[in-house]
Amino acid sequence: PGDAILAPRAAPTPTMASFTLAASAAKFAGAKLDSRRAPAPRAQGRRAVTVSAGPKRVMIAGAPASGKGTQCELIVEKYGLVHISAGDLLRAAVKEGTPAGLEAKEYMDRGDLVPDSCVVTMVVDALDTPAAKEKGWLLDGYPRSASQADAIAEQGIEPDSFLLLDVPDEKLVERVVGRRLDPETGKIYHVKYFPPESDEVAARLTQRADDTEEKARVRLEQFHSNMKAVESCYAGNIVKFDGTTKKEQVFDNLKK
Ligand code: AP5
């Protein structure tokens, strides 16, 4: 009520950005609170939104540094979905030194995709928590290949919506090398676009090991060689967004 996403509203105009969170919620109004369900029929296309309710299941994809994590911060703040980032799960596993983490590390250090055997179970387990089932989820950076899409589809895990951030390659390298992270809050900064608010925050910012130009180019190559196959898996649920505008503008388009 009072919220453009939750309140009834007119059918969206058929633009690229006319998705989405609201449509997905309406589609699953009354659905069981379970992240595993029968695969959704493909090619549903966009639909008129009436009333929304029920947990949403959203995937967000895009090239390295296209702004997935940044948009996830805003989406989680507004919609309360559980954010599941494949990259964050892997980095946590590397830090903990789990067997999957140890195996993943060498691939991540090169900028390559880690093998499915490292990442699929991690993601499926994260989707299978009470919080994700109850609040809905926002899956960031997974799937990155057709085999990963198939692996979760086999478990009946399908998104209501698949958001794809579109940013040309030449902008991405600048974003990658300028990215900084706050280890205390998890917030994402950029030396030029989102500098930290205070010297205290600036002093504790860190940089990811794979945020070099060289590794960014490998990650980009991986993205381009796999993404078409992923897109074809979710053809009916994909909505593309221009990710080159300011982050608030991207978010405004996304929630329309
Ligand atoms: P992951 O952590 O997922 O990295 P990624 O896909 O390369 O994406 P990033 O986290 O780099 O970028 P982002 O799109 O979240 O951008 P952000 O919002 O931070 O994966 C890392 C590695 O793990 C992979 O290389 C792979 O090895 C492995 N991996 C992960 N998932 C896997 C899977 N499913 N299968 C196999 N391997 C897997 O923004 C970037 C910067 O831009 C920030 O500084 C931000 O402030 C700035 N920015 C954001 N939005 C804007 C804007 N609108 N305007 C200007 N600047 C902006």
Side-chain angles (χ1 to χ4, degrees):
D3 183 317
I5 298 296
L6 299 176
R9 60 181 189 161
T13 49
T15 64
M16 274 209 319
S18 314
F19 140 70
T20 61
L21 292 171
S24 64
K27 187 169 157 187
F28 285 95
K32 277 196 291 182
L33 298 183
D34 190 343
S35 64
R36 296 171 193 231
R37 53 185 165 74
R42 301 252 191 249
Q44 293 245 338
R46 290 180 284 278
R47 40 186 288 165
V49 177
T50 51
V51 181
S52 57
K56 303 167 190 69
R57 299 164 176 91
V58 181
M59 288 178 176
I60 185 163
S66 56
K68 302 182 291 295
T70 299
Q71 293 305 315
C72 286
E73 282 178 1
L74 300 170
I75 294 170
V76 166
E77 192 183 346
K78 182 162 175 70
Y79 299 103
L81 302 182
V82 174
H83 179 209
I84 298 168
S85 154
D88 288 349
L89 289 174
L90 286 162
R91 279 183 288 276
V94 170
K95 203 170 167 188
E96 284 165 29
T98 65
L102 291 175
E103 191 186 349
K105 187 175 183 320
E106 61 172 293
Y107 293 87
M108 296 173 79
D109 284 347
R110 292 196 299 262
D112 284 335
L113 291 185
V114 309
D116 289 359
S117 56
C118 293
V119 70
V120 173
T121 310
M122 248 178 230
V123 168
V124 169
D125 288 349
L127 290 169
D128 196 27
T129 60
K133 289 175 184 172
E134 195 174 317
K135 296 179 183 172
W137 44 257
L138 174 61
L139 185 53
D140 165 5
Y142 185 102
R144 294 199 196 215
S145 62
S147 66
Q148 291 186 6
D150 290 346
I152 54 170
E154 277 164 19
Q155 313 245 5
I157 300 170
E158 297 272 0
D160 306 327
S161 310
F162 187 101
L163 314 184
L164 184 55
L165 291 172
D166 193 19
V167 179
D169 289 4
E170 59 269 20
K171 285 196 184 262
L172 295 168
V173 175
E174 186 198 12
R175 286 195 188 179
V176 166
V177 297
R179 173 169 40 197
R180 298 291 183 275
L181 302 165
D182 183 343
E184 276 186 26
T185 62
K187 208 170 156 191
I188 303 164
Y189 292 93
H190 189 280
V191 290
K192 180 171 164 191
Y193 300 116
F194 309 112
E197 306 85 349
S198 67
D199 291 346
E200 190 190 344
V201 175
R204 64 178 187 239
L205 295 184
T206 59
Q207 200 172 5
R208 262 169 49 179
D210 59 349
D211 275 353
T212 63
E213 179 165 352
E214 186 195 1
K215 288 174 190 173
R217 295 207 183 277
V218 178
R219 286 156 59 199
L220 263 174
E221 239 177 80
Q222 294 275 355
F223 172 78
H224 288 302
S225 54
N226 287 300
M227 207 51 209
K228 285 284 166 248
V230 175
E231 283 185 43
S232 70
C233 295
Y234 300 107
N237 298 49
I238 292 187
V239 188
K240 285 191 188 177
F241 292 91
D242 177 5
T244 60
T245 56
K246 289 189 169 182
K247 69 173 179 180
E248 296 80 7
Q249 178 67 55
V250 177
F251 184 55
D252 278 350
N253 287 337
L254 188 149
K255 67 190 179 185
K256 269 180 191 162

